[in-house]
Amino acid sequence: MLVLKFGGTSVANAQAILQIAAVLKEKAYPQNMVVVVSAMSGVTDMLVSCYQKAVQHDASYHEVIQQLETKHMEAIEQLIPHSYQIDIKGKVKLLLRELEDICQGVFLLDELSDGIKARIMSYGELLSSSVVSVAFKHQDLPNTLIDSRDYIVTDNNYLNAKVDQKKTFALIKERMADAALTIAPGFISRTETGKTSVLGRGGSDYTASIYAAALNAERLEIWSDVDGMYTADPRKVKAARSIKELSYKEAMELAYFGAKVLYPPTIAPLVAAQIPLMLKNTFNPSHKGTLITASPAAGQNSIKGVSCIDNIALITLSGSGMVGVPGIAMRMFKAVATQNINIYFITQSSSEQSITIAMADQEGQLALQALTKEFAQDIEIYDVDPVNLEPHMSIVAIVGNGMIQQPGIAGTMFSILGSHSINIRAIAQGATERNISIVVRGDDAVKAVNLLHDSFFLAKSEKQAEAMA
Ligand code: ADP
Ligand code: ASP
Ligand code: MG
């Protein structure tokens, strides 16, 4: 059993879908395969714009739905013989009519809950999986289309839903027919009470890993538009190159710190069953890509990659009254957690006079208000300084297992950035020593990533560098 996931660019148009069919045929089909697909590229963003427009009483969401129709119909016309188009065209029209009705409800009522947002966003994967399934039938790839909402059960956190693995695994094992080829929409799931939820932006990777773990697949392959996980974001660093092998932990840290090619929660379900993960390029299938396992072959470089998260806000709590007082950190985290804010990074100065946390820019104001309220009395008696918010920052992280044995990496990192006048606002080292992360101004981030990448990866000869990667 193999599970394969194809992302938005891999189903972006008829040509890309034919390319997937070619990849599947190479896999000595028939063997048991589950193929998970994302929405066609750009579609989830279009759906988000539909509900945003509708709730603002802007009727131009109709035009967006029209564009969605054109996009899917064009693919159908190019992929499916004319005389077979009627059913799938009818299905696409039906799905879009449902979408239109929901958007109209939002438009009329001016009300938009997370549950409705999830429902609206689910149409991207419902549409793409329907088109892909029929297209494959006409490519000699008979298949069974399923709805992932019948298998993947989550909590009520509609937009970033947490999977109930026990129930989900049981349903997948019990219900999933033993078809040679199953097509499943990624991203979408349902709550206990049967409402549509989604697994977070980029969540189709996670859908695929849930299927892989439940079915104890031989391997999970995630197919995208790059040759695997790179030493840095290829959009920011021209010299970035594909990494041959990574451990689960390294891949998870690179993903968590911004390597978009892999959605961070994807790794966890694979670890228990030791299912290897391959990252491959749909448009360059002969490239080996990146292999992610528990114990990768040892490379020569202790650092595997440089990642970056942009649009970060830093919040610092400081004050002489914080020294030696127990419970301050707990109050700080509780106040932020109550607002459902995700913290990327925590650092405390050794004198205990300040604690700095990092979160998404858009949550900065909310965190500032929550902390100012929580510490109002302490601020009034000057034990704690007014809470400080610094928006528009970036976190840059270097990641690699071997850093544990190698002293001086942090020093090299600071001196390179210092000699180029890049100010480091905060530093944290993961307890595992697998990662060192720093915070710099957003405007400095691309330069910082390039400087670190050049110094850790390009200093060696090309040949050595290839072996390391
Ligand atoms: P998909 O739609 O297939 O899920 P994504 O857009 O989510 O694809 O992820 C692939 C993109 O991730 C690449 O096109 C690349 O620009 C970006 N990316 C960012 N960091 C990295 C990295 N370290 N390695 C590879 N790709 C990266
Ligand atoms: N279509 C969803 C998104 O754009 C899920 C995914 O592509 O993984 O976020
Ligand atoms: Mg993705």
Side-chain angles (χ1 to χ4, degrees):
M1 162 71 72
L2 275 187
V3 178
L4 296 93
K5 176 260 172 177
F6 292 88
T9 44
S10 303
V11 292
N13 49 43
Q15 231 183 341
I17 293 170
L18 290 177
Q19 181 62 31
I20 303 184
V23 166
L24 296 185
K25 286 181 193 170
E26 274 284 301
K27 300 229 161 263
Y29 179 84
Q31 67 167 313
N32 278 1
M33 285 194 280
V34 176
V35 168
V36 175
V37 293
S38 291
M40 293 171 85
S41 106
V43 164
T44 310
D45 287 339
M46 289 164 82
L47 293 164
V48 169
S49 87
C50 279
Y51 66 63
Q52 284 172 340
K53 283 171 187 287
V55 76
Q56 285 161 10
H57 224 72
D58 171 355
S60 67
Y61 70 83
H62 288 292
E63 285 155 34
V64 182
I65 295 178
Q66 188 53 53
Q67 288 161 14
L68 286 170
E69 179 165 335
T70 309
K71 201 175 174 74
H72 290 86
M73 292 302 179
E74 261 176 28
I76 290 170
E77 272 157 24
Q78 291 169 32
L79 286 165
I80 295 155
H82 196 258
S83 51
Y84 293 95
Q85 288 173 7
I86 189 155
D87 285 353
I88 179 66
K89 280 188 166 172
K91 182 166 182 194
V92 166
K93 284 215 156 109
L94 194 71
L95 287 168
L96 290 173
R97 197 162 312 134
E98 278 171 28
L99 171 66
E100 190 117 35
D101 287 348
I102 302 170
C103 289
Q104 200 189 358
V106 175
F107 180 85
L108 293 174
L109 298 171
D110 287 337
E111 265 188 37
L112 180 61
S113 64
D114 284 353
I116 301 288
K117 287 182 187 172
R119 252 187 95 183
I120 291 178
M121 280 198 272
S122 72
Y123 282 91
E125 272 70 9
L126 289 172
L127 287 161
S128 65
S129 57
S130 304
V131 173
V132 165
S133 168
V134 179
F136 280 3
K137 286 182 182 157
H138 294 278
Q139 288 296 319
D140 269 342
L141 291 168
N143 63 81
T144 308
L145 174 67
I146 60 169
D147 184 335
S148 295
R149 292 175 299 184
D150 294 335
Y151 301 86
I152 301 183
V153 185
T154 71
D155 65 4
N156 277 345
N157 190 1
Y158 291 98
L159 299 177
N160 253 308
K162 188 171 174 339
V163 174
D164 181 330
Q165 286 208 6
K166 215 168 155 202
K167 286 200 178 117
T168 299
F169 281 23
L171 280 172
I172 294 174
K173 283 182 188 143
E174 174 193 310
R175 286 194 190 167
M176 199 118 140
D178 195 23
L181 178 59
T182 302
I183 310 291
F187 188 48
I188 65 175
S189 44
R190 71 160 157 93
T191 65
E192 292 279 358
T193 52
K195 302 257 170 59
T196 299
S197 54
V198 293
L199 303 179
R201 292 303 306 269
S204 294
D205 296 348
Y206 188 34
T207 307
S209 96
I210 295 283
Y211 282 124
L215 297 167
N216 200 16
E218 198 179 307
R219 188 166 68 244
L220 168 61
E221 297 182 0
I222 292 185
W223 291 75
S224 185
D225 59 351
V226 281
D227 295 333
M229 179 78 87
Y230 282 46
T231 48
D233 184 341
R235 293 167 300 185
K236 289 183 176 153
V237 178
K238 277 215 170 70
R241 68 195 72 211
S242 165
I243 305 168
K244 284 195 184 113
E245 288 200 35
L246 282 171
S247 69
Y248 289 126
K249 286 177 177 159
E250 289 170 326
M252 186 140 61
E253 297 225 21
L254 283 168
Y256 180 79
F257 283 99
K260 187 181 172 236
V261 68
L262 183 64
Y263 185 53
T266 308
I267 299 282
L270 305 177
V271 176
Q274 300 273 300
I275 296 170
L277 167 60
M278 285 189 86
L279 303 182
K280 296 272 294 175
N281 188 348
T282 304
F283 307 100
N284 187 16
S286 59
H287 191 285
K288 284 209 167 87
T290 301
L291 175 65
I292 300 164
T293 58
S295 44
Q300 285 174 19
N301 200 2
S302 50
I303 297 170
K304 290 292 174 57
V306 185
S307 270
C308 176
I309 316 180
D310 292 317
N311 304 318
I312 287 290
L314 274 193
I315 287 208
T316 301
L317 192 69
S318 59
S320 50
M322 283 168 57
V323 184
V325 180
I328 297 254
M330 189 201 75
R331 282 170 62 199
M332 184 175 187
F333 299 139
K334 198 168 165 203
V336 176
T338 317
Q339 303 297 325
N340 236 335
I341 293 172
N342 181 27
I343 300 176
Y344 287 103
F345 177 105
I346 302 164
T347 169
Q348 179 174 25
S349 77
S350 50
S351 65
E352 291 188 46
Q353 280 198 18
S354 74
I355 303 173
T356 300
I357 56 176
M359 67 214 67
D361 246 336
Q362 77 247 28
E363 298 184 319
Q365 277 301 334
L366 188 61
L368 178 69
Q369 283 161 16
L371 290 169
T372 302
K373 194 166 162 218
E374 169 65 33
F375 289 95
Q377 284 180 5
D378 312 71
I379 294 170
E380 211 177 291
I381 56 168
Y382 301 104
D383 266 0
V384 170
D385 303 330
V387 184
N388 184 37
L389 168 71
E390 295 166 85
H392 314 313
M393 311 295 278
S394 292
I395 301 177
V396 175
I398 54 174
V399 173
N401 265 342
M403 275 161 44
I404 305 166
Q405 294 101 11
Q406 209 171 320
I409 289 187
T412 312
M413 193 174 180
F414 305 149
S415 69
I416 294 161
L417 298 182
S419 64
H420 287 84
S421 310
I422 293 177
N423 185 29
I424 300 177
R425 262 300 293 121
I427 304 161
Q429 174 161 11
T432 57
E433 290 194 45
R434 197 176 298 110
N435 140 10
I436 302 173
S437 5
I438 55 164
V439 178
V440 297
R441 277 183 37 226
D443 291 345
D444 287 334
V446 172
K447 190 173 166 196
V449 173
N450 273 282
L451 285 167
L452 294 172
H453 190 270
D454 282 358
S455 107
F456 289 118
F457 291 94
L458 297 189
K460 323 258 177 358
S461 71
E462 262 321 285
K463 200 161 171 255
Q464 258 183 316
E466 280 216 334
M468 294 175 327

mmCIF file of all heavy atoms in Angstrom, residues 5 7-8 38-39 44-45 125 186-187 200-205, ligand 2:
data_model
loop_
_atom_site.group_PDB
_atom_site.id
_atom_site.type_symbol
_atom_site.label_atom_id
_atom_site.label_comp_id
_atom_site.label_asym_id
_atom_site.label_seq_id
_atom_site.Cartn_x
_atom_site.Cartn_y
_atom_site.Cartn_z
ATOM 1 N N LYS A 5 0.305 12.044 -2.142
ATOM 2 C CA LYS A 5 -0.461 13.289 -2.075
ATOM 3 C C LYS A 5 0.069 14.252 -3.141
ATOM 4 O O LYS A 5 1.273 14.437 -3.283
ATOM 5 C CB LYS A 5 -0.345 13.891 -0.685
ATOM 6 C CG LYS A 5 -1.023 15.245 -0.526
ATOM 7 C CD LYS A 5 -0.043 16.373 -0.597
ATOM 8 C CE LYS A 5 -0.723 17.737 -0.644
ATOM 9 N NZ LYS A 5 0.240 18.850 -0.647
ATOM 10 N N GLY A 7 -0.167 18.149 -4.469
ATOM 11 C CA GLY A 7 -0.555 19.478 -4.009
ATOM 12 C C GLY A 7 -1.211 20.319 -5.089
ATOM 13 O O GLY A 7 -1.416 19.860 -6.228
ATOM 14 N N GLY A 8 -1.520 21.554 -4.737
ATOM 15 C CA GLY A 8 -2.276 22.456 -5.613
ATOM 16 C C GLY A 8 -1.673 22.635 -7.000
ATOM 17 O O GLY A 8 -2.394 22.581 -8.008
ATOM 18 N N SER A 38 -5.070 18.016 -3.309
ATOM 19 C CA SER A 38 -5.436 19.351 -2.819
ATOM 20 C C SER A 38 -6.408 19.989 -3.794
ATOM 21 O O SER A 38 -6.623 19.478 -4.896
ATOM 22 C CB SER A 38 -4.204 20.252 -2.782
ATOM 23 O OG SER A 38 -3.314 19.857 -1.805
ATOM 24 N N ALA A 39 -6.878 21.162 -3.430
ATOM 25 C CA ALA A 39 -7.648 21.990 -4.361
ATOM 26 C C ALA A 39 -6.700 22.467 -5.466
ATOM 27 O O ALA A 39 -5.489 22.548 -5.251
ATOM 28 C CB ALA A 39 -8.206 23.188 -3.613
ATOM 29 N N THR A 44 -8.318 27.647 -2.914
ATOM 30 C CA THR A 44 -8.685 27.886 -1.504
ATOM 31 C C THR A 44 -8.664 29.393 -1.205
ATOM 32 O O THR A 44 -9.546 29.905 -0.512
ATOM 33 C CB THR A 44 -7.769 27.091 -0.552
ATOM 34 O OG1 THR A 44 -7.731 25.743 -1.007
ATOM 35 C CG2 THR A 44 -8.272 27.122 0.879
ATOM 36 N N ASP A 45 -7.682 30.093 -1.774
ATOM 37 C CA ASP A 45 -7.653 31.555 -1.572
ATOM 38 C C ASP A 45 -8.892 32.210 -2.193
ATOM 39 O O ASP A 45 -9.452 33.153 -1.624
ATOM 40 C CB ASP A 45 -6.404 32.176 -2.220
ATOM 41 C CG ASP A 45 -5.139 31.860 -1.424
ATOM 42 O OD1 ASP A 45 -5.266 31.532 -0.230
ATOM 43 O OD2 ASP A 45 -4.042 31.941 -2.001
ATOM 44 N N GLU A 125 -11.343 21.152 -2.464
ATOM 45 C CA GLU A 125 -10.918 19.756 -2.561
ATOM 46 C C GLU A 125 -12.058 18.876 -3.080
ATOM 47 O O GLU A 125 -11.809 17.881 -3.771
ATOM 48 C CB GLU A 125 -10.427 19.256 -1.199
ATOM 49 C CG GLU A 125 -8.950 19.499 -0.910
ATOM 50 C CD GLU A 125 -8.557 20.957 -0.670
ATOM 51 O OE1 GLU A 125 -9.463 21.800 -0.557
ATOM 52 O OE2 GLU A 125 -7.350 21.243 -0.612
ATOM 53 N N GLY A 186 -7.974 16.013 0.081
ATOM 54 C CA GLY A 186 -7.218 16.373 1.276
ATOM 55 C C GLY A 186 -7.933 17.468 2.044
ATOM 56 O O GLY A 186 -8.998 17.934 1.637
ATOM 57 N N PHE A 187 -7.359 17.860 3.208
ATOM 58 C CA PHE A 187 -7.761 19.074 3.916
ATOM 59 C C PHE A 187 -9.073 18.961 4.669
ATOM 60 O O PHE A 187 -9.222 19.540 5.730
ATOM 61 C CB PHE A 187 -7.815 20.213 2.884
ATOM 62 C CG PHE A 187 -8.033 21.610 3.370
ATOM 63 C CD1 PHE A 187 -7.301 22.135 4.434
ATOM 64 C CD2 PHE A 187 -8.937 22.450 2.720
ATOM 65 C CE1 PHE A 187 -7.469 23.462 4.835
ATOM 66 C CE2 PHE A 187 -9.112 23.771 3.116
ATOM 67 C CZ PHE A 187 -8.383 24.279 4.177
ATOM 68 N N GLY A 200 -6.456 22.998 8.636
ATOM 69 C CA GLY A 200 -5.493 24.110 8.607
ATOM 70 C C GLY A 200 -4.930 24.281 7.211
ATOM 71 O O GLY A 200 -4.855 23.314 6.451
ATOM 72 N N ARG A 201 -4.514 25.523 6.868
ATOM 73 C CA ARG A 201 -4.003 25.782 5.525
ATOM 74 C C ARG A 201 -2.761 24.917 5.284
ATOM 75 O O ARG A 201 -1.871 24.839 6.108
ATOM 76 C CB ARG A 201 -3.658 27.268 5.350
ATOM 77 C CG ARG A 201 -4.871 28.190 5.357
ATOM 78 C CD ARG A 201 -5.915 27.872 4.297
ATOM 79 N NE ARG A 201 -5.420 27.818 2.945
ATOM 80 C CZ ARG A 201 -5.374 28.842 2.092
ATOM 81 N NH1 ARG A 201 -5.798 30.015 2.474
ATOM 82 N NH2 ARG A 201 -4.944 28.682 0.859
ATOM 83 N N GLY A 202 -2.746 24.275 4.148
ATOM 84 C CA GLY A 202 -1.647 23.347 3.839
ATOM 85 C C GLY A 202 -1.924 21.937 4.347
ATOM 86 O O GLY A 202 -1.079 21.046 4.256
ATOM 87 N N GLY A 203 -3.137 21.723 4.889
ATOM 88 C CA GLY A 203 -3.447 20.495 5.620
ATOM 89 C C GLY A 203 -3.611 19.222 4.810
ATOM 90 O O GLY A 203 -3.736 18.135 5.385
ATOM 91 N N SER A 204 -3.579 19.295 3.489
ATOM 92 C CA SER A 204 -3.721 18.057 2.707
ATOM 93 C C SER A 204 -2.560 17.094 2.959
ATOM 94 O O SER A 204 -2.731 15.874 2.878
ATOM 95 C CB SER A 204 -3.781 18.357 1.209
ATOM 96 O OG SER A 204 -4.950 19.067 0.915
ATOM 97 N N ASP A 205 -1.390 17.632 3.268
ATOM 98 C CA ASP A 205 -0.245 16.768 3.603
ATOM 99 C C ASP A 205 -0.604 15.903 4.814
ATOM 100 O O ASP A 205 -0.284 14.713 4.888
ATOM 101 C CB ASP A 205 0.984 17.610 3.998
ATOM 102 C CG ASP A 205 1.522 18.478 2.878
ATOM 103 O OD1 ASP A 205 1.108 18.288 1.727
ATOM 104 O OD2 ASP A 205 2.374 19.357 3.168
HETATM 105 N N1 ASP B 2 -6.207 23.598 -0.260
HETATM 106 C C1 ASP B 2 -5.745 23.798 1.097
HETATM 107 C C2 ASP B 2 -4.918 25.063 1.189
HETATM 108 O O1 ASP B 2 -4.711 25.747 0.194
HETATM 109 C C3 ASP B 2 -5.024 22.602 1.650
HETATM 110 C C4 ASP B 2 -3.748 22.239 0.919
HETATM 111 O O2 ASP B 2 -3.536 22.650 -0.202
HETATM 112 O O3 ASP B 2 -2.957 21.463 1.504
HETATM 113 O O4 ASP B 2 -4.502 25.419 2.256
#
